[in-house]
Amino acid sequence: MVAVKLWGSLRAFADGQEVVQVEARNFRELLDRLGETWPGLKPQIARGVSVAVDGLVYREAWFTPIKPDSEVVLMPYMQGG
Amino acid sequence: MALDNQPKREFKVVGTRPPRPDGVDKVTGRAQYGADVSAPGMLVAKILRSPHAHAEILSIDTSAAEALPGVKAVVTWRDFGPVGDTIIDIGEDSSPLADIRDNCLARGKVLYDGHAVAAVAAVSAEVAKAALKLIKVEYRVLPYVTDVDAAMKPGAPVVLSGRVEETVQRGMSENVTHYCEFGHGDLESGFEAADVVVERSFTTAATHQGYIEPHACLASMTADGKADLWCCTQGQYNVRSVCAEILGMEASQLRVTASEIGGGFGGKTSIFIEPVALALSRKAGRPVKLVMTRDEVFKATGPTVSTSMDVKIGMTKDGRITAASSHLRYSGGAFPNATVDMGAQAAFAAYDLKAVRTFGWNALTNRPKESAYRAPGAPQAIYAVESVIDELCQKLNLDPLEVRLKNAAKKGTRSSYGPTFDDIGLIATLEAAKAHPHLKAPLGPNQGRGISAGFWFNFGGNTCVTLNINTDGTVSVTEGNPDIGGSRASIGMMAAEELGVPFEKVRTIVADTASLGHNDITDGSRVTFAVGLATIKAARDAIQKMCRRAAAIWGIDEEAVEWVDGAARPSGPNAGQFPPLTLAEIAAVSFQTGGPIAGHHEFNADGAGVSFGVHIADVEVDPDTGATKVLRYTVFQDAGKAVHPDYVEGQMQGGAVQGIGWALNEEYIYGADGRLQNAGFLDYRIPVASDLPMIDAVILEIPNPGHPYGVRGVGETGIVPPLAALSNAVSRAAGVRLNRLPMSPPRVLEAILSKG
């Protein structure tokens, strides 16, 4: 299981939890499980999210491995100017 | 690829300051910018724009324009097809393709003064202009709203219906499309633990990127549906994706070539005129050039968000922040966006806080759709935060730099936006500022000093590089990102470093979309980091191949060959058995040893590493006029590793100068009619050389563990701290706190007079 921190405005769609547990080995599985378990998160996932794994921010990289003890934070889709 | 295991690597090329490879072309006028390209039989295009802030389009009659001699094509929204629900990643957020399309040519409603309605291609600009006057558009004028706070009130005129995300609280205006919240800890207990709590409200104006070159393109579509497009853009691949979808083409049939770019700063990540030019060319059967006027650039291309913000911070007498919160209300114009996400995440990122919370809303207004502008969303939020911290320092008689040091985020800090920081350079940057003579220099009457810290995320992204070893021993690097900050130099330098050849032996080419795999836009301070990393890997790929060729020539195992100082050398038991074979010697016989040699690498880069900066500004305020003069300015920023220090300093200086403009003068001013009042550089005032002192730049080099040379992005952080640094300096010089940007002379004078 991986502990995933959600940003505040998403917590309403995960029973108010700040941290949710999902079974996932990589970025894609993480998003799939989050959407399956909490369908209310699907619109945000569809609009785009990044995932911070142990402090590094990843976008789109489905096969980025996630270890069970990794710090995982769901973040908005990150871009710049 | 982590930082190479070389604690103090001695670089030979990286870190030096060779002349820029595109310098001669640019100073002699040979460089091809957007409007410099032409084609035989080319037509000239002009766009008809809305005179209303908000209106329903009842009808468009183009018949008279089409009948005018010399007019070859007229297009409206009807010439763009359906695009479904596709969301596309351009610039600072992911936008529905339909919004991009409807911003290029209005469909059903015009949403702001200057919104494009129709376009004409004719044999000359004069004929095209005359044709625009013959297009009859019947409007039903609607109520409008251009202020973010007004747009958020229930009952405000609705800019676009049905765009509210599921996160937005009920009961708000339908213009509020996006809500976000970040942070951790117990705010209530944190504020109770404070000795002083300051809560203030702030506003900032929309500002334009102010690039010198207006948007320009040349489109040419043939009868069999193949098209070429030359344009000034920060991302030719995204231009291709968007245009192909809007025109109903396959991407392979559209080749996009990025011209030289006369400034972008995020404002050329967007697409406004390219699909229009393609549609005109398709209809006319001839090449079509479309160049925006400066008036059009201001009215219809991306300024930043305008904002309204509340910040509350609690502090103990000894300068420890106990709790911090912010409420950020951003408007990015007439189409939905989520820039407030980045502002809300960045707001308190420089600090190690037990209790922190940011709340953000994006609202629609009848203004042009925003475009990215260096660190989108962050400068505004950090301006408000750093202003309150400065006021707390004044109230508690504390040194503002020591307070920032006391609260600074460091390795192991849980950031205000969630992740825990790895190695970061904020404390080193603050220490460098503390030790700098600027901080100790005396100030005179009516003078003030302001400091501010700043933060930006930095990104990597999709990148593809090919590196060819030419038979004469030179090297060609082909990459897919327009050079807007010196990337030809930095990429070439990293290739030269890795291969062990002189920089002058390397030429870096920006490819068109048919010549290389996809590359993300030049944004997010990503290019020197991500393209550089791909170049290093492509060079290592070529080195491996060259070692293999050398091994074959010597008749030894390729594992027994190493690459040292630009040459293959036998190693291990074969060391010294054969003289080294240089890159040039291997290249010269490449046809005989297996064919041409190239290295290649493509990936979705990660590990960009966050970035911090600290700025110190000294100003003098004229108490009689409210005018502010910037006396001295110093930037401290962590570059990870400065590949070409001149360019890094240039980025730091440029960000500071643009931030000075935001702080003191620049703003979109709307009249009572909802129309933009200052669409030109005479009335929209960016800083010029005579407004500025030398911007001193101090580069710190705390290696980014995510890059083999330690490189971080440097392009965006420089614009984050200036707003607060200037505001803090002006507030101290004027003796009264200013909470509204820009701090133009009338506003400063009003504040001085109001204190009595």
Side-chain angles (χ1 to χ4, degrees):
Chain A
M1 298 290 274
V2 175
V4 185
K5 283 181 200 164
L6 304 178
W7 74 84
S9 38
L10 295 188
R11 291 171 197 160
F13 305 105
D15 302 329
Q17 299 176 86
E18 181 182 352
V19 179
V20 297
Q21 303 280 336
V22 293
E23 195 73 56
R25 293 165 299 176
N26 61 38
F27 185 113
R28 185 183 186 184
E29 288 181 4
L30 183 88
L31 298 190
D32 287 348
R33 297 297 93 75
L34 284 173
E36 288 164 9
T37 313
W38 292 280
L41 297 178
K42 279 185 177 175
Q44 179 61 52
I45 292 171
R47 283 194 294 272
V49 291
S50 302
V51 176
V53 181
D54 295 324
L56 281 182
V57 180
Y58 297 88
R59 298 189 308 189
E60 299 166 338
W62 282 357
F63 309 121
T64 300
I66 298 174
K67 294 179 288 188
D69 59 346
S70 289
E71 181 199 59
V72 180
V73 183
L74 200 65
M75 297 176 63
Y77 193 76
M78 301 306 297
Q79 295 191 279
Chain B
M1 183 191 293
L3 184 67
D4 281 356
N5 188 23
Q6 299 175 41
K8 286 199 174 180
R9 176 171 180 156
E10 293 295 327
F11 292 104
K12 291 181 176 168
V13 181
V14 166
T16 64
R17 302 172 187 251
R20 61 185 303 156
D22 49 6
V24 171
D25 280 354
K26 286 182 173 171
V27 300
T28 59
R30 277 178 35 183
Q32 297 273 302
Y33 289 88
D36 291 331
V37 183
S38 60
M42 185 177 78
L43 302 172
V44 178
K46 294 287 176 187
I47 292 180
L48 181 70
R49 296 183 178 277
S50 165
H52 304 296
H54 193 192
E56 184 182 354
I57 300 173
L58 300 175
S59 65
I60 307 175
D61 180 357
T62 60
S63 56
E66 287 166 326
L68 185 70
V71 170
K72 301 299 179 185
V74 181
V75 296
T76 67
W77 63 271
R78 294 185 183 86
D79 294 276
F80 291 159
V83 293
D85 299 327
T86 305
I87 292 176
I88 199 150
D89 159 22
I90 58 166
E92 67 198 358
D93 64 3
S94 303
S95 297
L97 196 56
D99 284 354
I100 300 170
R101 177 198 63 189
D102 297 349
N103 195 31
C104 292
L105 283 175
R107 177 177 294 238
K109 283 207 304 183
V110 288
L111 301 175
Y112 55 89
D113 171 33
H115 195 164
V117 174
V120 171
V123 293
S124 71
E126 290 70 28
V127 174
K129 282 183 194 170
L132 292 186
K133 292 178 182 170
L134 298 175
I135 298 174
K136 295 184 182 68
V137 185
E138 192 181 357
Y139 294 104
R140 183 171 72 88
V141 176
L142 300 170
Y144 64 86
V145 61
T146 56
D147 175 76
V148 61
D149 287 323
M152 288 181 66
K153 287 180 181 161
V158 175
V159 178
L160 282 175
S161 286
R163 312 305 292 274
V164 180
E165 289 178 9
E166 68 287 345
T167 51
V168 177
Q169 303 94 325
R170 291 176 187 275
M172 305 186 86
S173 156
E174 201 175 344
N175 292 322
V176 183
T177 57
H178 178 77
Y179 170 70
C180 63
E181 181 187 331
F182 300 90
H184 56 260
D186 181 349
L187 280 183
E188 197 173 328
S189 300
F191 285 123
E192 281 175 8
D195 292 309
V196 177
V197 176
V198 167
E199 184 171 11
R200 293 284 177 264
S201 298
F202 301 86
T203 61
T204 67
T207 53
H208 197 272
Q209 293 80 355
Y211 33 76
I212 301 304
E213 183 195 21
H215 294 258
C217 69
L218 172 65
S220 179
M221 191 178 290
T222 56
D224 62 355
K226 293 188 181 67
D228 281 279
L229 179 68
W230 297 265
C231 58
C232 50
T233 177
Q234 291 177 231
Q236 62 269 40
Y237 294 87
N238 289 76
V239 171
R240 179 180 66 172
S241 302
V242 169
C243 291
E245 291 260 12
I246 291 176
L247 274 292
M249 304 170 64
E250 292 179 357
S252 63
Q253 301 307 306
L254 174 59
R255 183 175 65 159
V256 182
T257 304
S259 68
E260 290 300 329
I261 184 168
F265 314 112
K268 285 177 183 157
T269 59
S270 301
I271 287 141
F272 306 106
I273 57 173
E274 294 82 1
V276 178
L278 281 163
L280 286 167
S281 178
R282 177 166 65 184
K283 216 163 184 175
R286 287 167 63 173
V288 172
K289 182 189 275 192
L290 181 43
V291 181
M292 276 182 152
T293 64
R294 184 63 61 186
D295 182 86
E296 288 180 293
V297 168
F298 272 109
K299 285 183 172 172
T301 73
T304 62
V305 291
S306 56
T307 77
S308 168
M309 305 173 286
D310 311 313
V311 169
K312 181 178 177 182
I313 299 177
M315 189 177 281
T316 59
K317 287 177 185 168
D318 65 349
R320 180 71 206 173
I321 298 172
T322 59
S325 70
S326 68
H327 292 74
L328 311 176
R329 298 170 291 275
Y330 285 14
S331 175
F335 293 94
N337 60 73
T339 306
V340 79
D341 281 347
M342 290 180 275
Q345 291 175 95
F348 295 105
Y351 299 109
D352 184 356
L353 302 173
K354 285 183 180 165
V356 58
R357 200 82 73 204
T358 55
F359 309 87
W361 294 265
N362 266 111
L364 300 174
T365 50
N366 293 111
R367 291 170 173 245
K369 178 183 182 342
E370 69 160 311
S371 288
Y373 186 169
R374 275 183 147 152
Q380 295 90 341
I382 286 173
Y383 150 64
V385 168
E386 293 288 303
S387 295
V388 173
I389 289 176
D390 194 63
E391 188 174 341
L392 281 161
C393 292
Q394 284 182 300
K395 284 184 184 297
L396 293 166
N397 197 28
L398 297 170
D399 181 312
L401 199 133
E402 292 291 352
V403 165
R404 285 169 174 84
L405 266 171
K406 181 176 283 240
N407 294 283
K410 51 191 170 296
K411 184 174 184 176
T413 294
R414 182 183 178 184
S415 68
S416 58
Y417 58 95
T420 301
F421 284 126
D422 195 349
D423 282 316
I424 56 175
L426 176 59
I427 287 182
T429 310
L430 286 164
E431 294 282 10
K434 183 180 172 182
H436 196 274
H438 185 164
L439 210 57
K440 300 169 187 69
L443 291 168
N446 301 315
Q447 295 180 0
R449 175 168 298 143
I451 71 164
S452 174
F455 162 87
W456 184 243
F457 301 93
N458 293 337
F459 309 123
N462 295 294
T463 309
C464 180
V465 166
T466 288
L467 183 150
N468 291 303
I469 307 296
N470 303 317
T471 53
D472 64 352
T474 60
V475 179
S476 302
V477 179
T478 307
E479 52 110 345
N481 283 90
D483 181 350
I484 61 171
S487 54
R488 281 192 187 91
S490 61
I491 301 310
M493 290 169 76
M494 284 187 266
E497 184 75 47
E498 199 62 28
L499 292 167
V501 299
F503 170 66
E504 294 72 22
K505 296 284 184 189
V506 182
R507 183 171 182 189
T508 304
I509 301 290
V510 178
D512 64 65
T513 54
S515 303
L516 201 61
H518 177 93
N519 281 269
D520 281 345
I521 288 174
T522 301
D523 76 346
S525 301
R526 72 175 215 91
V527 172
T528 303
F529 166 77
V531 181
L533 214 166
T535 300
I536 290 167
K537 287 190 170 189
R540 290 179 181 179
D541 184 31
I543 286 170
Q544 189 176 27
K545 290 169 182 170
M546 288 188 286
C547 286
R548 194 176 301 149
R549 301 289 176 97
I553 290 168
W554 292 328
I556 64 175
D557 292 338
E558 65 179 270
E559 290 76 20
V561 179
E562 60 181 352
W563 190 262
V564 180
D565 291 338
R569 295 172 189 272
S571 64
N574 298 302
Q577 291 288 314
F578 308 98
L581 277 170
T582 65
L583 180 146
E585 289 168 333
I586 295 168
V589 295
S590 58
F591 295 171
Q592 291 76 33
T593 60
I597 300 170
H600 186 79
H601 195 76
E602 69 277 309
F603 65 164
N604 183 357
D606 54 60
V610 298
S611 172
F612 292 90
V614 175
H615 290 203
I616 306 174
D618 291 356
V619 303
E620 181 171 312
V621 172
D622 183 335
D624 296 323
T625 65
T628 298
K629 183 174 178 57
V630 183
L631 302 171
R632 185 172 181 180
Y633 202 103
T634 310
V635 179
F636 305 83
Q637 189 176 316
D638 175 16
K641 175 67 189 173
V643 177
H644 192 306
D646 280 354
Y647 282 116
V648 173
E649 288 163 3
Q651 290 289 333
M652 292 159 66
Q653 292 164 328
V657 168
Q658 289 183 317
I660 289 169
W662 290 26
L664 297 183
N665 289 106
E666 296 183 40
E667 66 177 316
Y668 267 45
I669 298 170
Y670 282 88
D673 56 359
R675 302 191 69 184
L676 185 61
Q677 303 294 296
N678 58 337
F681 277 133
L682 284 176
D683 297 315
Y684 179 95
R685 195 173 182 287
I686 64 172
V688 296
S690 56
D691 295 322
L692 299 163
M694 176 65 189
I695 307 294
D696 292 314
V698 178
I699 302 171
L700 285 92
E701 294 188 319
I702 295 105
N704 170 19
H707 187 281
Y709 296 172
V711 170
R712 294 178 197 273
V714 298
E716 291 169 285
T717 305
I719 204 168
V720 180
L723 283 62
L726 266 293
S727 182
N728 294 339
V730 170
S731 296
R732 286 167 182 262
V736 56
R737 179 63 51 177
L738 285 106
N739 296 337
R740 182 181 177 189
L741 298 186
M743 298 175 292
S744 53
R747 288 191 189 134
V748 175
L749 188 60
E750 184 183 1
I752 291 171
L753 294 175
S754 71
K755 70 179 179 178

